[in-house]
Coordinates of all heavy atoms in Angstrom, one line a residue:
A794 N 0.8 -1.2 0.0 CA 0.0 0.0 0.0 C 0.9 1.3 -0.1 O 0.6 2.2 -0.7 CB -1.0 0.1 1.2
L795 N 1.9 1.2 0.7 CA 2.9 2.5 0.8 C 3.6 2.6 -0.5 O 3.7 3.7 -0.9 CB 3.9 2.2 1.9 CG 3.3 2.2 3.4 CD1 4.3 1.7 4.4 CD2 2.9 3.7 3.7
R796 N 4.0 1.5 -1.2 CA 4.6 1.6 -2.5 C 3.6 2.3 -3.5 O 3.8 3.1 -4.3 CB 5.0 0.3 -3.0 CG 5.4 0.2 -4.4 CD 6.9 0.8 -4.7 NE 7.9 0.0 -4.0 CZ 8.3 -1.0 -4.6 NH1 8.1 -1.5 -5.8 NH2 9.4 -1.7 -3.8
A797 N 2.4 1.8 -3.4 CA 1.3 2.3 -4.3 C 1.0 3.7 -4.0 O 0.8 4.5 -5.0 CB 0.0 1.5 -4.1
K798 N 1.2 4.0 -2.8 CA 0.9 5.6 -2.4 C 2.1 6.4 -3.1 O 1.9 7.4 -3.6 CB 0.9 5.8 -1.0 CG 0.6 7.2 -0.6 CD 0.5 7.2 1.0 CE 0.2 8.8 1.4 NZ 0.0 8.9 2.9
E799 N 3.3 5.9 -2.9 CA 4.5 6.6 -3.5 C 4.4 6.8 -4.9 O 4.9 7.8 -5.5 CB 5.8 5.8 -3.1 CG 6.1 5.7 -1.7 CD 7.3 4.8 -1.3 OE1 7.8 4.2 -2.3 OE2 7.8 4.7 -0.1
E800 N 3.9 5.9 -5.5 CA 3.7 5.8 -7.0 C 2.4 6.6 -7.6 O 2.1 6.7 -8.6 CB 3.7 4.4 -7.6 CG 5.0 3.6 -7.4 CD 4.9 2.2 -7.8 OE1 3.8 1.7 -7.9 OE2 6.0 1.5 -7.8
G801 N 1.7 7.1 -6.6 CA 0.5 7.8 -7.0 C -0.7 7.1 -7.3 O -1.7 7.6 -7.9
L802 N -0.7 5.8 -7.0 CA -1.8 4.9 -7.4 C -2.9 5.0 -6.3 O -4.0 4.8 -6.7 CB -1.4 3.5 -7.5 CG -0.1 3.1 -8.4 CD1 0.1 1.7 -8.3 CD2 -0.5 3.5 -9.8
V803 N -2.5 5.4 -5.1 CA -3.6 5.6 -4.1 C -3.1 6.9 -3.3 O -2.0 7.2 -3.2 CB -3.7 4.4 -3.1 CG1 -3.8 3.1 -3.8 CG2 -2.4 4.4 -2.3
K804 N -4.1 7.6 -2.7 CA -3.8 8.9 -1.9 C -3.8 8.5 -0.5 O -2.9 9.0 0.2 CB -4.9 9.8 -2.1 CG -5.0 10.4 -3.5 CD -6.1 11.5 -3.6 CE -6.2 12.2 -4.8 NZ -7.3 13.2 -4.9
F805 N -4.6 7.5 0.1 CA -4.7 7.3 1.6 C -4.8 5.9 1.8 O -5.2 5.0 0.8 CB -5.9 8.1 2.1 CG -5.9 9.5 1.8 CD1 -6.8 10.0 0.8 CD2 -5.1 10.4 2.5 CE1 -6.8 11.4 0.6 CE2 -5.1 11.7 2.3 CZ -6.0 12.3 1.4
I806 N -4.5 5.4 3.0 CA -4.5 4.0 3.4 C -5.3 3.8 4.6 O -5.3 4.5 5.6 CB -3.1 3.5 3.7 CG1 -2.1 3.8 2.4 CG2 -3.0 2.0 4.0 CD1 -0.7 3.6 2.7
G807 N -6.2 2.8 4.6 CA -7.0 2.6 5.7 C -6.9 1.1 6.1 O -6.3 0.3 5.5
V808 N -7.7 0.7 7.2 CA -7.8 -0.7 7.6 C -9.2 -1.0 8.1 O -10.0 -0.2 8.5 CB -6.9 -0.9 8.7 CG1 -7.1 -0.1 10.0 CG2 -6.8 -2.5 9.2
T809 N -9.6 -2.3 7.8 CA -11.1 -2.6 8.0 C -11.1 -4.0 8.8 O -10.0 -4.8 8.9 CB -11.9 -2.8 6.6 OG1 -11.6 -4.2 6.1 CG2 -11.5 -1.8 5.6
G810 N -12.3 -4.3 9.3 CA -12.4 -5.6 10.0 C -13.8 -5.8 10.4 O -14.6 -5.0 10.5
H811 N -14.0 -7.1 10.9 CA -15.2 -7.6 11.5 C -15.0 -8.3 12.7 O -13.9 -8.4 13.2 CB -15.9 -8.7 10.5 CG -16.1 -8.1 9.0 ND1 -17.3 -7.5 8.8 CD2 -15.4 -8.0 8.0 CE1 -17.1 -7.2 7.4 NE2 -16.0 -7.6 6.9
G812 N -16.1 -8.7 13.4 CA -15.9 -9.5 14.7 C -15.7 -8.7 15.9 O -15.6 -7.4 15.8
L813 N -15.6 -9.3 17.2 CA -15.8 -8.7 18.3 C -14.4 -8.2 18.7 O -14.2 -7.3 19.6 CB -16.1 -9.7 19.4 CG -17.7 -10.1 19.4 CD1 -17.9 -11.1 20.6 CD2 -18.5 -8.9 19.6
T814 N -13.2 -8.5 18.0 CA -11.9 -8.2 18.4 C -11.4 -7.1 17.5 O -10.3 -6.6 17.6 CB -10.9 -9.2 18.4 OG1 -10.8 -9.9 17.0 CG2 -11.3 -10.4 19.2
V815 N -12.3 -6.6 16.5 CA -11.8 -5.7 15.6 C -11.4 -4.3 16.1 O -10.4 -3.8 15.7 CB -12.9 -5.5 14.4 CG1 -14.1 -5.0 15.0 CG2 -12.4 -4.5 13.4
A816 N -12.0 -3.8 17.0 CA -11.8 -2.4 17.6 C -10.4 -2.5 18.2 O -9.4 -1.7 18.1 CB -12.8 -1.8 18.5
R817 N -10.2 -3.7 19.0 CA -8.8 -3.9 19.7 C -7.7 -4.0 18.6 O -6.6 -3.4 18.8 CB -9.1 -5.0 20.6 CG -7.7 -5.4 21.3 CD -7.1 -4.1 22.3 NE -8.2 -3.6 23.1 CZ -8.1 -2.5 23.6 NH1 -7.0 -1.8 23.7 NH2 -9.0 -2.0 24.4
M818 N -8.0 -4.7 17.6 CA -7.0 -4.9 16.5 C -6.7 -3.6 15.8 O -5.6 -3.4 15.3 CB -7.4 -6.1 15.6 CG -7.4 -7.5 16.2 SD -5.7 -7.9 16.8 CE -4.8 -8.0 15.3
H819 N -7.8 -2.8 15.6 CA -7.5 -1.5 14.9 C -6.7 -0.6 15.7 O -5.8 0.2 15.2 CB -8.8 -0.7 14.6 CG -9.6 -1.3 13.5 ND1 -9.0 -2.2 12.5 CD2 -10.8 -1.1 13.1 CE1 -9.9 -2.5 11.7 NE2 -11.0 -1.8 11.9
I820 N -6.8 -0.6 17.0 CA -6.0 0.2 18.0 C -4.5 -0.3 17.8 O -3.7 0.5 17.7 CB -6.5 0.1 19.5 CG1 -7.9 0.6 19.6 CG2 -5.4 0.6 20.4 CD1 -8.5 0.5 20.9
R821 N -4.4 -1.5 17.7 CA -3.0 -2.1 17.5 C -2.4 -1.7 16.2 O -1.3 -1.4 16.1 CB -3.0 -3.8 17.7 CG -1.8 -4.4 17.4 CD -1.9 -6.0 17.4 NE -0.6 -6.6 17.3 CZ -0.5 -7.8 17.1 NH1 -1.6 -8.7 17.0 NH2 0.7 -8.4 16.9
S822 N -3.3 -1.7 15.1 CA -2.9 -1.3 13.9 C -2.4 0.2 13.7 O -1.4 0.5 13.2 CB -4.0 -1.5 12.8 OG -4.2 -2.8 12.6
L823 N -3.2 1.0 14.6 CA -2.8 2.4 14.6 C -1.5 2.8 15.5 O -1.0 3.8 15.2 CB -4.0 3.2 15.2 CG -5.2 3.4 14.3 CD1 -6.4 3.9 15.1 CD2 -4.9 4.2 13.2
E824 N -1.2 1.8 16.3 CA 0.1 1.9 17.0 C 1.2 1.6 16.0 O 2.3 2.1 16.1 CB 0.2 0.9 18.2 CG -0.9 1.3 19.3 CD -1.1 0.2 20.3 OE1 -0.5 -1.0 20.1 OE2 -1.7 0.5 21.3
R825 N 1.0 0.7 15.0 CA 2.0 0.3 14.1 C 2.1 1.4 13.0 O 3.3 1.5 12.4 CB 1.6 -1.1 13.5 CG 2.6 -1.5 12.4 CD 4.0 -1.8 12.8 NE 4.0 -2.9 13.9 CZ 4.3 -4.2 13.6 NH1 4.5 -4.4 12.2 NH2 4.4 -5.1 14.5
Y826 N 1.0 1.7 12.5 CA 1.0 2.7 11.4 C -0.1 3.8 11.4 O -1.2 3.4 11.9 CB 0.8 2.1 10.0 CG 0.8 3.0 8.7 CD1 2.1 3.5 8.4 CD2 -0.3 3.2 8.2 CE1 1.9 4.4 7.3 CE2 -0.4 4.1 7.0 CZ 0.7 4.7 6.6 OH 0.7 5.6 5.5
D827 N 0.0 5.0 10.9 CA -0.9 6.0 11.2 C -1.8 6.0 10.0 O -1.9 6.8 9.1 CB -0.1 7.3 11.2 CG -1.2 8.5 11.7 OD1 -2.2 8.3 12.4 OD2 -0.8 9.6 11.3
F828 N -2.8 5.0 10.1 CA -3.7 4.8 9.0 C -4.7 6.1 9.0 O -4.9 6.7 9.9 CB -4.7 3.6 9.3 CG -3.9 2.4 9.0 CD1 -3.4 1.6 10.0 CD2 -3.8 1.8 7.7 CE1 -2.7 0.5 9.9 CE2 -3.1 0.7 7.4 CZ -2.6 0.0 8.5
D829 N -5.2 6.4 7.7 CA -6.1 7.5 7.5 C -7.5 7.1 7.8 O -8.3 8.0 8.0 CB -6.0 7.9 6.1 CG -4.7 8.4 5.7 OD1 -4.2 9.4 6.3 OD2 -4.0 7.7 4.8
S830 N -8.0 5.8 7.8 CA -9.3 5.5 8.2 C -9.5 4.1 8.7 O -8.5 3.3 8.6 CB -10.2 5.6 6.9 OG -9.8 4.4 6.0
V831 N -10.5 3.9 9.4 CA -10.7 2.5 10.0 C -12.2 2.2 9.6 O -12.9 3.2 9.3 CB -10.6 2.4 11.5 CG1 -9.1 2.6 11.9 CG2 -11.6 3.4 12.1
L832 N -12.6 1.0 9.6 CA -13.9 0.5 9.3 C -14.3 -0.7 10.3 O -13.4 -1.6 10.3 CB -14.0 0.2 7.9 CG -15.3 -0.3 7.3 CD1 -15.6 0.0 5.8 CD2 -15.6 -1.9 7.5
L833 N -15.4 -0.7 10.9 CA -15.8 -1.7 11.7 C -17.4 -1.8 12.1 O -17.9 -0.7 11.7 CB -15.0 -1.7 13.1 CG -15.4 -0.5 13.9 CD1 -14.6 -0.8 15.5 CD2 -14.9 0.9 13.5
P834 N -17.9 -2.8 12.6 CA -19.3 -2.9 12.9 C -19.7 -1.9 14.0 O -18.9 -1.6 14.9 CB -19.5 -4.4 13.3 CG -18.4 -5.1 12.7 CD -17.3 -4.2 12.7
Y835 N -21.0 -1.4 13.9 CA -21.5 -0.5 14.8 C -23.0 -0.5 14.8 O -23.5 0.0 13.7 CB -20.9 0.9 14.7 CG -21.5 2.0 15.7 CD1 -21.0 1.8 17.0 CD2 -22.2 3.0 15.3 CE1 -21.5 2.8 17.9 CE2 -22.7 3.9 16.2 CZ -22.2 3.7 17.6 OH -22.7 4.7 18.5
N836 N -23.7 -1.1 15.7 CA -25.1 -1.0 15.8 C -25.5 -1.1 17.2 O -24.8 -1.5 18.1 CB -25.8 -2.0 14.8 CG -25.4 -3.4 15.2 OD1 -25.4 -3.8 16.4 ND2 -25.0 -4.3 14.2
Y837 N -26.8 -1.0 17.3 CA -27.4 -0.9 18.8 C -27.1 -2.2 19.6 O -26.7 -2.2 20.6 CB -28.8 -0.5 18.8 CG -29.5 -0.4 20.2 CD1 -29.1 0.7 21.0 CD2 -30.1 -1.5 20.8 CE1 -29.7 0.7 22.3 CE2 -30.6 -1.4 22.1 CZ -30.5 -0.4 22.8 OH -31.0 -0.3 24.0
P838 N -27.6 -3.3 18.9 CA -27.5 -4.6 19.7 C -26.0 -4.9 20.0 O -25.6 -5.4 21.1 CB -28.0 -5.6 18.8 CG -29.0 -5.0 17.9 CD -28.4 -3.6 17.6
L839 N -25.1 -4.6 19.1 CA -23.7 -4.9 19.3 C -23.0 -4.2 20.3 O -22.3 -4.5 21.1 CB -23.0 -4.7 18.0 CG -21.4 -5.1 18.0 CD1 -21.2 -6.5 18.3 CD2 -20.9 -4.7 16.6
M840 N -23.5 -2.9 20.5 CA -22.9 -2.0 21.5 C -23.5 -2.3 22.9 O -23.0 -1.6 23.9 CB -23.2 -0.5 21.2 CG -22.4 -0.2 19.9 SD -20.5 -0.1 20.4 CE -20.4 1.4 21.3
Q841 N -24.3 -3.3 23.0 CA -24.8 -3.7 24.4 C -23.8 -4.7 25.0 O -23.9 -5.0 26.1 CB -26.1 -4.4 24.3 CG -27.3 -3.4 23.6 CD -27.3 -2.0 24.1 OE1 -27.5 -1.8 25.2 NE2 -27.0 -1.1 23.2

């Protein structure tokens, strides 16, 4: 992704995920690299 960004093929880099551990893994990902976006599930039943 970083090579593609250097070459002008992409502008920004993000990370996505599913499941109950996704938020924790996104936090880990943001510790490794400063991603521009994250994507994960969010709805009322899940947030209970």
Side-chain angles (χ1 to χ4, degrees):
L795 290 169
R796 170 74 66 82
K798 183 177 180 180
E799 290 172 1
E800 294 174 347
L802 305 179
V803 308
K804 290 183 179 179
F805 305 102
I806 304 173
V808 62
T809 79
H811 303 269
L813 292 178
T814 64
V815 59
R817 180 56 49 192
M818 290 302 293
H819 281 349
I820 292 170
R821 183 182 178 191
S822 293
L823 287 169
E824 291 171 350
R825 175 66 65 88
Y826 177 76
D827 192 22
F828 287 97
D829 299 297
S830 69
V831 298
L832 179 152
L833 71 168
Y835 181 69
N836 56 51
Y837 181 82
L839 183 57
M840 288 297 283
Q841 306 315 297

